[in-house]
Amino acid sequence: MRRWSLFLLRATLYLLLLGPLAAFGLYGLSTRWFYPQLLPSEWTFEPLMRQLGSPLIQAALARSLVIAGLVTSLALLIGLPAARTLGLRRFRGRSLVLLLMFLPTVVPPLATGMGLNILFLQLGLAGSVAGVVLVHLVPVLPYTVFALLGVFARYDEGYEQQARTLGASWPLVLLRVTLPLAGPGLAVAALFAFLVSWSQYVLTLLIGGGRVITLPILLFSAVAGGNPTTTAILALLFAAPPILAIALASRALSGGATVVGQQY
Amino acid sequence: MAHQCVDRAVGVTKRYDTLVTWLTLAPALALVGLIFGASVLYGLAQSLGYLAIIGETRLSLEAYSGLLAGRSPAGREFWQALGFSLWVSAASTVLAAGVALLLAVALSGQRRPVGGATLLALNLNLALPHLAWAIALSLLLAQSGLLARIATALGAIQAPAEFPVLVRDSYGIGIILHYVSKEIPFLALIVLAVLRTQGTAYELVAENLGANGWQRVRFVTLPLVLPGLAAGALLVFAFTFGAYEVPALLGVRYPRTLAVMALELFTNPDLRSRAEAMAISLLMALVVVGVAGLARVLNSEREGR
């Protein structure tokens, strides 16, 4: 009985995972699949190939990658020193800093984006990739700081001091001590920073103003367009990179390096 | 003399440390402080009717009073939208937390670490963007969707119209189904993380003292995981209350959530409805920050132990 209920639980879990992929595959790779047919009678790669070849979609894919890549790099660059200090030092004002970092992770992107819309228009940042990257950093940077904070809270500076005492230069310390120690946590933080930016719709819409077309923006308008085949293919293109990335990072994740405290 | 020298040296080192501390924090603080701060400031100003672009520089509480007293056209929908938002996020949070707790306890109740494959499955579900999952649900659960076809093949229904309306329904069932299925893995991972760090020692002690399975869950496991689960659930509530994409994709035009209403007002060509849009979004932010702040307090208490 117990074994069966456990089996059922596991099966539900995997079904939740396979369900969306099956849906995208069934709708994206078939034509004229009408109710009540259980399975499509005609399979075709034609829509998939056409979408992959579309300049609009290729540009959106590239733009999404560039934006998420830039956001991730900047978040790591700015977040790493801050997280190290917050994780290793106790100083006056620390909890205030933590509070300031915490707020943007929970305030709805809708509120942030609507508030910034006019300002970014005045600054000439609206409708530009730079503006979208900046506004993505508002939720992503604090989240990266918190993810890295967890890494540095368990970090022992003693190893670095020991290496310095033994005569290692600081680049060598960074390369041979700091990075190997913080590496897995760093990778996980980078991965989720990328995912948060990759999945962002509202902020891109409000600051990009319909001129910065990313994959989520295309996906949303495809839903409004009402063609399930187009929607399914775009959704697959949109969902595949995160899933692949998590699968590749599964080792670091199963080590329990971080519990993901973020929604996106 | 030597004593003073040492004192001064310590003072210099201390000041140097403080300088380094704030220098490392400066870029992050500047970026978040400036951009996020500006968004709050500009949002507040606009909600008070300040809109220099159309020459409006008087401040008034008109947007707020119109909304809260139900006088403006948007105000007549405000309380209903607030209620709908609260219903959707509360129902999603409670259901997801309950199932996540059951799932985590069942998975970890076997005296051996939860398998990597299960953890991976949970993490993969987490990685699937909300937008993609919402689209998948609308394809699967529509009245002519995959589930309806399976029901037809099994002979349970004869026509699409007989299949229950599960997405784009006026009760928010589709939205709730989405959030529950998406947040179960999120919360289950939190509970599993707590259980993993606590080990099985307490359970073994309880078992040795004669506690049965139910008693072990009730008096050992539950108190251990409850603070973490509650904090996670509050975060889920905060997120689902403020999110736009899912109710926009899986909801109907009426009733709609505050987020959907706010964005619609914001994109209205009549610039005056922007004040109301901003007021709604700030009220939403207020609710979310309050709830998430509570989660933070719970979390720090747990970590402080």
Side-chain angles (χ1 to χ4, degrees):
Chain A
M1 176 59 204
R2 199 182 151 73
R3 175 170 290 198
W4 273 105
S5 60
L6 209 69
F7 175 78
L8 213 67
L9 268 175
R10 285 239 166 87
T12 320
L13 209 62
Y14 293 122
L15 220 63
L16 275 180
L17 206 61
L18 291 175
L21 295 180
F24 299 151
L26 284 170
Y27 280 92
L29 299 178
S30 65
T31 50
R32 286 180 294 159
W33 179 34
F34 299 118
Y35 178 92
Q37 292 172 328
L38 198 53
L39 288 173
S41 51
E42 282 178 56
W43 295 87
T44 168
F45 283 100
E46 199 270 321
L48 178 67
M49 288 304 152
R50 200 180 53 229
Q51 303 260 36
L52 282 177
S54 144
L56 185 69
I57 290 173
Q58 287 173 354
L61 198 66
R63 204 168 291 117
S64 277
L65 282 173
V66 166
I67 289 174
L70 278 173
V71 169
T72 307
S73 323
L74 283 171
L76 283 181
L77 204 68
I78 301 172
L80 203 61
R84 190 185 159 109
T85 298
L86 287 168
L88 292 174
R89 307 263 177 277
R90 294 292 175 274
F91 55 93
R92 197 176 302 185
R94 182 174 176 271
S95 45
L96 209 64
V97 174
L98 289 177
L99 184 68
L100 182 69
M101 289 285 148
F102 170 69
L103 285 178
T105 62
V106 290
V107 166
L110 191 70
T112 314
M114 279 165 46
L116 287 174
N117 179 277
I118 291 231
L119 176 66
F120 273 42
L121 270 172
Q122 287 166 347
L123 295 176
L125 284 166
S128 73
V129 168
V132 171
V133 168
L134 268 180
V135 79
H136 277 198
L137 275 172
V138 172
V140 173
L141 175 65
Y143 170 64
T144 311
V145 169
F146 281 116
L148 292 172
L149 190 82
V151 176
F152 283 109
R154 288 188 299 268
Y155 187 80
D156 186 355
E157 265 183 306
Y159 289 108
E160 288 177 10
Q161 284 155 10
Q162 208 157 21
R164 291 288 283 161
T165 312
L166 292 171
S169 62
W170 73 260
L172 194 66
V173 172
L174 186 72
L175 195 71
R176 306 295 290 271
V177 181
T178 314
L179 280 181
L181 278 176
L186 216 75
V188 172
L191 180 63
F192 283 99
F194 188 90
L195 292 185
V196 173
S197 171
W198 174 266
S199 317
Q200 193 52 247
Y201 169 74
V202 170
L203 286 177
T204 314
L205 178 78
L206 286 170
I207 299 302
R211 281 199 283 159
V212 180
I213 308 290
T214 58
L215 221 44
I217 302 274
L218 274 191
L219 193 51
F220 229 85
S221 64
V223 173
N227 182 342
T229 308
T230 315
T231 311
I233 290 172
L234 274 175
L236 196 61
L237 283 179
F238 174 58
I243 289 185
L244 283 178
I246 291 285
L248 289 176
S250 62
R251 278 182 72 90
L253 283 171
S254 63
T258 14
V259 171
V260 186
Q262 176 78 0
Q263 302 277 341
Y264 47 87
Chain B
M1 192 62 196
H3 183 67
Q4 277 178 344
C5 270
V6 171
D7 265 4
R8 200 174 302 153
V10 168
V12 168
T13 322
K14 247 192 172 160
R15 239 175 295 154
Y16 176 74
D17 272 356
T18 313
L19 185 71
V20 169
T21 295
W22 289 101
L23 272 181
T24 54
L25 294 173
L29 283 178
L31 197 130
V32 170
L34 282 180
I35 304 186
F36 183 69
S39 91
V40 174
L41 219 65
Y42 269 70
L44 199 62
Q46 285 179 67
S47 77
L48 295 173
Y50 182 89
L51 205 58
I53 288 185
I54 56 167
E56 190 61 81
T57 50
R58 273 177 309 126
L59 297 188
S60 78
L61 285 168
E62 211 176 302
Y64 290 93
S65 65
L67 284 174
L68 299 177
R71 276 203 300 271
S72 62
R76 279 189 273 285
E77 202 191 330
F78 176 77
W79 290 103
Q80 177 139 29
L82 176 66
F84 189 62
S85 288
L86 286 174
W87 150 247
V88 165
S89 25
S92 308
T93 307
V94 170
L95 284 174
V99 180
L101 183 65
L102 286 178
L103 181 71
V105 169
L107 283 176
S108 63
Q110 311 162 284
R111 292 294 149 70
R112 55 192 161 89
V114 179
T118 311
L119 280 183
L120 181 62
L122 289 170
N123 272 311
L124 281 175
N125 185 302
L126 215 58
L128 195 73
H130 277 278
L131 191 49
W133 184 220
I135 288 170
L137 271 186
S138 68
L139 292 177
L140 290 171
L141 300 181
Q143 282 188 309
S144 60
L146 193 60
L147 237 60
R149 294 171 198 239
I150 292 174
T152 312
L154 294 174
I157 60 170
Q158 264 81 48
E162 289 173 44
F163 194 73
V165 185
L166 293 176
V167 286
R168 293 188 202 93
D169 61 291
S170 45
Y171 300 101
I173 295 173
I175 311 170
I176 294 171
L177 274 177
H178 169 100
Y179 283 135
V180 169
S181 51
K182 197 73 177 68
E183 303 299 354
I184 287 172
F186 173 72
L187 292 172
L189 279 171
I190 290 180
V191 176
L192 283 174
V194 176
L195 289 176
R196 190 170 45 213
T197 53
Q198 301 293 348
T200 51
Y202 288 115
E203 290 218 7
L204 284 176
V205 171
E207 194 176 2
N208 273 339
L209 293 171
N212 62 32
W214 159 245
Q215 284 172 325
R216 284 205 304 274
V217 170
R218 168 69 187 80
F219 294 106
V220 179
T221 314
L222 208 57
L224 278 179
V225 302
L226 216 51
L229 181 65
L234 286 175
L235 286 181
V236 167
F237 181 89
F239 172 76
T240 52
F241 186 76
Y244 167 79
E245 291 93 328
V246 176
L249 286 173
L250 298 180
V252 285
R253 276 205 56 81
Y254 185 87
R256 47 188 180 163
T257 64
L258 282 179
V260 175
M261 195 180 153
L263 192 66
E264 195 138 305
L265 282 172
F266 187 78
T267 49
N268 194 316
D270 181 4
L271 283 177
R272 269 166 305 187
S273 57
R274 278 205 171 188
E276 282 179 322
M278 293 307 318
I280 294 178
S281 84
L282 285 177
L283 290 172
M284 279 166 55
L286 217 60
V287 171
V288 162
V289 167
V291 170
L294 199 62
R296 213 173 138 71
V297 171
L298 279 176
N299 233 340
S300 60
E301 269 173 17
R302 177 172 59 110
E303 275 156 16
R305 253 198 330 221

